[in-house]
Amino acid sequence: AWQYNCLGWDVAWCTLLTRVAKSAAPGFDWTPHLPAIFQKLHRCIELPTDLKGSTRREPTPGEFEWLFQGSRIQCMSKLVAHLVSPGDGYQASSLRSHMERLLYITENFVHPSNGGSWAQVLVRLWSGICTGLNRRARSGAVFGVDSMATLQISILPPLLQARLAKSPAVVLLAARGLRAVAELGPGVVLPAAMPSLIASLSGDDMVSSPYHVHSALACVASLVPLLLADNQDGPRQLELVLQLSIPGIDINDPLKTNATLVLYQAVLLRRPLGERMLEWVLALLTQIFEYMAMVDPPTDQEQEGVENLSSPLRSTFLLLFQQMTPVLLGEVLAWIRKRLCNDMLFAAQTEVKYLLGGLCKAEPVRVLAGLMPLVHEKTVGIPDSSRGVEWWLMVADGLVQSGGSSLLPYTDQLEHTIAETIEHDDAKIARASAKLLSRLMAALSTVQITEFRSLTPQSFSRLDAAPETGELWEWERPESWGELQPGWHLPTSAEIGFAVKLLERFGDRGCELFGAADGMDKAVRLLKSVVQGACFLGERGDDEPSPNSNGMCSMTGGKMAKGSSLQGSGGSSELSGRADGCIARIAQSVHTQLRDMLDQERVNLNVKNLKKCLELTQSLLVDRWNWSNDAQVEYSMLKGLEGNACASKN
């Protein structure tokens, strides 16, 4: 028997009716059933109103719980979307009146001052209705112009009110619904929505109501394709938003910063930058440099969060520099070179590397020609100070990660720079040089994307929100990865040959340092960087580069592609033999050192050297290369000794 006042049964009824509405014959008259349908929908929302019979809810019978696992809001939104009929007849007018009544009853629950649970439920419902109508339109459904315009005018005020909420999830649901309803009729939605969005970005709202700014940025980001396609005020309004949004990059408000950068990505994916935009670009870069100057060095607990904030900044750099004309890029390159000489942003190492990586991917030959001689001069020529040497090694680290074959003219300079600094008495300089060596070897031996403008928004960072809010750009997902045709860089035999040369020189040098007095620290540091860089040489990929299951791809490189690994490139037999021989020598040297330490540490355990050697062993022999059984047994014994030593020390 039917269970009245039971949410589970009401949702089941809604699900069945949705299926009927979707499969109903065109022209079916739903008008007589609309009052009962909307009364049931109101009950499913479970608002605290005085509707008859809604004050007490019966629990779902246990034997029927498996029937009610679906989302009630999703079912309700689909039902309403399928009830909208083509044309401007009486049924459309009746449905519109019922929807307006439902919106009127529920609008107070999404007021910005009401942060209750009903706000997210209702905004998800409205956004789902807009998304459902949009999907029907994309599938070929034709709606009446007048009825659709009236529906848009009715649902637009609640969405604009919902975007003022403090909850990021509610804001993104509102932005998603706004994008969906705007696509059904940009001429109705954009003139009504853009003035309020622009007002939130100007005046006192930028400071007094930061969550209003975040919501406005998210909504404008969702409307970027429609604004660019608008032949009237859209481009002018978008340019004004770009000018007003620069203060949104704020070290004290990560949510607003993220939304600002996602807005820039949405614009840069679709519009190149000419010389006319120089003033805006320099103002943006100035704000970013001020942001980086205030970044604190991350602690171990904060590292993950900092990386998440850096990700949208990296995507913005990749698109910003690639969309510039050669003249504009030349002006920007001169400006950045000057800032790098004046500012040492050690705390923002990740952000600086992303900046230089994006710059180098745009025009690697030109960028390296402008900065690499300066790096060599500042590190090996007449360095200003030890701090300056460390800074310019970090700059070189950012440049080489995207250089590829453009690095070949600077091999002598890079090798000389590393050789002069990797054994430096200053541990910070030595560590920076070791990172440069590892990054350089990886850059020379990995597949990398070189062109990002053909990718979709899903390939870049997204606005932070709950998963159920959906994506702002879900309709821009390609059918297959092959449609995108991004540019790829495949390593040549010359690049891999230089990587093998670095492996041989510094790998052998690290083995020599094991036998030198006080050489343990330098040997471990050098060999660990060499091994990390050689990890990419060790992979033998057979497939062409491809994205992951989400349609996204690594922007820093990936495994070796067919025809580019040691076994598949020109002269591969010789290069493979040299690399394997060097790895074998390193493994033997580490193995011997561990044997000696094992004999000695049974009497006098040196915890510091033991831990360093264990790190190296794990990096070289456990994670990447198969070691002998005897060596594995000794490694296990050393691991046990380390635990005993730490316990004794504590």
Side-chain angles (χ1 to χ4, degrees), residues 58 79 133 166 191 210 243 268 323 333 460 485 490 496 635:
E58 297 292 339
L79 174 58
L133 290 172
K166 295 183 180 181
Q243 297 288 346
L268 293 170
Q323 288 287 29
L333 177 59
F460 298 93
Q485 300 298 328
L490 303 179
I496 297 176
Y635 176 82

Side-chain angles (χ1 to χ4, degrees), residues 50-309:
D50 293 330
L51 258 171
K52 182 180 179 181
S54 65
T55 57
R56 181 173 178 269
R57 306 295 283 175
E58 297 292 339
T60 303
E63 64 270 24
F64 297 111
E65 286 185 355
W66 63 275
L67 288 172
F68 313 126
Q69 299 300 318
S71 169
R72 60 189 173 105
I73 301 302
Q74 185 178 9
C75 295
M76 294 164 60
S77 59
K78 286 183 178 180
L79 174 58
V80 175
H82 286 292
L83 290 177
V84 178
S85 61
D88 294 316
Y90 175 73
Q91 179 177 338
S93 175
S94 178
L95 176 64
R96 188 168 62 250
S97 64
H98 282 285
M99 284 194 62
E100 289 175 352
R101 180 174 179 269
L102 181 63
L103 291 170
Y104 174 77
I105 294 174
T106 59
E107 63 180 354
N108 288 333
F109 292 93
V110 294
H111 191 274
S113 63
N114 185 354
S117 59
W118 293 290
Q120 187 166 337
V121 171
L122 290 171
V123 178
R124 183 178 289 113
L125 173 63
W126 300 339
S127 176
I129 293 172
C130 298
T131 303
L133 290 172
N134 190 291
R135 287 173 177 165
R136 286 190 62 192
R138 288 174 176 272
S139 300
V142 180
F143 302 107
V145 176
D146 294 339
S147 62
M148 185 53 61
T150 305
L151 180 62
Q152 288 174 313
I153 294 173
S154 300
I155 206 169
L156 189 58
L159 288 176
L160 291 177
Q161 180 174 267
R163 69 99 183 166
L164 298 176
K166 295 183 180 181
S167 169
V170 173
V171 169
L172 289 189
L173 284 167
R176 189 167 180 257
L178 192 63
R179 164 74 181 269
V181 75
E183 286 195 343
L184 296 171
V188 176
V189 175
L190 293 183
M194 285 306 297
S196 66
L197 298 177
I198 292 175
S200 294
L201 297 174
S202 57
D204 296 333
D205 274 359
M206 185 66 77
V207 178
S208 61
S209 303
Y211 55 92
H212 289 184
V213 177
H214 162 255
S215 67
L217 293 168
C219 291
V220 175
S222 69
L223 297 174
V224 164
L226 304 177
L227 291 170
L228 291 175
D230 188 4
N231 295 325
Q232 298 180 358
D233 295 333
R236 179 187 60 80
Q237 291 175 330
L238 189 56
E239 187 171 337
L240 177 60
V241 169
L242 292 178
Q243 297 288 346
L244 295 173
S245 61
I246 289 178
I249 301 177
D250 185 356
I251 190 67
N252 298 313
D253 193 339
L255 198 65
K256 183 171 65 176
T257 300
N258 190 23
T260 304
L261 295 175
V262 170
L263 167 64
Y264 293 158
Q265 293 165 31
V267 175
L268 293 170
L269 269 170
R270 302 168 175 88
R271 184 59 57 91
L273 299 176
E275 292 79 6
R276 187 175 63 88
M277 298 297 291
L278 175 62
E279 182 179 353
W280 176 78
V281 171
L282 294 183
L284 172 62
L285 290 176
T286 300
Q287 185 75 13
I288 291 175
F289 267 84
E290 292 177 359
Y291 170 92
M292 293 190 296
M294 292 186 288
V295 170
D296 294 327
T299 62
D300 294 339
Q301 293 79 8
E302 297 172 339
Q303 184 63 50
E304 182 179 354
V306 171
E307 184 66 24
N308 289 337
L309 283 178

Side-chain angles (χ1 to χ4, degrees), residues 394-422:
M394 194 183 79
V395 170
D397 189 356
L399 290 173
V400 302
Q401 63 182 340
S402 306
S405 59
S406 302
L407 293 169
L408 294 178
Y410 307 98
T411 54
D412 293 339
Q413 292 183 5
L414 287 167
E415 188 175 1
H416 185 210
T417 297
I418 295 172
E420 290 292 324
T421 55
I422 201 165

Side-chain angles (χ1 to χ4, degrees), residues 286-461:
T286 300
Q287 185 75 13
I288 291 175
F289 267 84
E290 292 177 359
Y291 170 92
M292 293 190 296
M294 292 186 288
V295 170
D296 294 327
T299 62
D300 294 339
Q301 293 79 8
E302 297 172 339
Q303 184 63 50
E304 182 179 354
V306 171
E307 184 66 24
N308 289 337
L309 283 178
S310 301
S311 180
L313 194 61
R314 176 192 191 188
S315 303
T316 304
F317 286 143
L318 290 170
L319 293 170
L320 177 68
F321 297 123
Q322 286 203 345
Q323 288 287 29
M324 293 181 184
T325 61
V327 175
L328 178 59
L329 185 62
E331 297 281 350
V332 172
L333 177 59
W335 186 90
I336 291 178
R337 177 188 168 107
K338 183 178 179 180
R339 289 300 297 259
L340 292 176
C341 292
N342 296 332
D343 301 334
M344 295 186 184
L345 307 173
F346 288 100
Q349 292 186 28
T350 302
E351 291 80 1
V352 172
K353 290 177 182 178
Y354 286 166
L355 168 72
L356 296 171
L359 188 64
C360 196
K361 280 186 181 292
E363 286 193 27
V365 175
R366 186 177 183 182
V367 172
L368 291 175
L371 293 176
M372 196 57 71
L374 181 61
V375 169
H376 187 259
E377 174 189 344
K378 296 289 187 180
T379 54
V380 180
I382 307 177
D384 298 331
S385 62
S386 297
R387 195 70 168 161
V389 174
E390 182 188 356
W391 166 250
W392 286 104
L393 287 172
M394 194 183 79
V395 170
D397 189 356
L399 290 173
V400 302
Q401 63 182 340
S402 306
S405 59
S406 302
L407 293 169
L408 294 178
Y410 307 98
T411 54
D412 293 339
Q413 292 183 5
L414 287 167
E415 188 175 1
H416 185 210
T417 297
I418 295 172
E420 290 292 324
T421 55
I422 201 165
E423 297 181 38
H424 202 281
D425 293 333
D426 189 326
K428 292 183 178 179
I429 293 178
R431 282 196 296 267
S433 182
K435 289 181 181 179
L436 172 59
L437 173 60
S438 177
R439 191 70 62 104
L440 177 59
M441 293 178 63
L444 292 167
S445 54
T446 54
V447 176
Q448 300 183 39
I449 301 180
T450 58
E451 200 280 321
F452 295 86
R453 289 163 291 184
S454 61
L455 301 181
T456 63
Q458 285 82 12
S459 301
F460 298 93
S461 56

Side-chain angles (χ1 to χ4, degrees), residues 524-582:
V524 170
R525 183 188 302 118
L526 199 157
L527 286 180
K528 191 173 182 181
S529 64
V530 168
V531 170
Q532 289 172 344
C535 288
F536 297 94
L537 288 171
E539 296 193 8
R540 304 292 196 266
D542 295 326
D543 302 324
E544 295 298 333
S546 60
N548 60 22
S549 58
N550 295 324
M552 301 174 67
C553 53
S554 171
M555 298 182 189
T556 56
K559 68 178 183 179
M560 306 287 296
K562 183 173 64 176
S564 300
S565 67
L566 286 173
Q567 294 181 344
S569 59
S572 61
S573 177
E574 178 188 356
L575 293 176
S576 180
R578 288 167 55 189
D580 291 343
C582 184

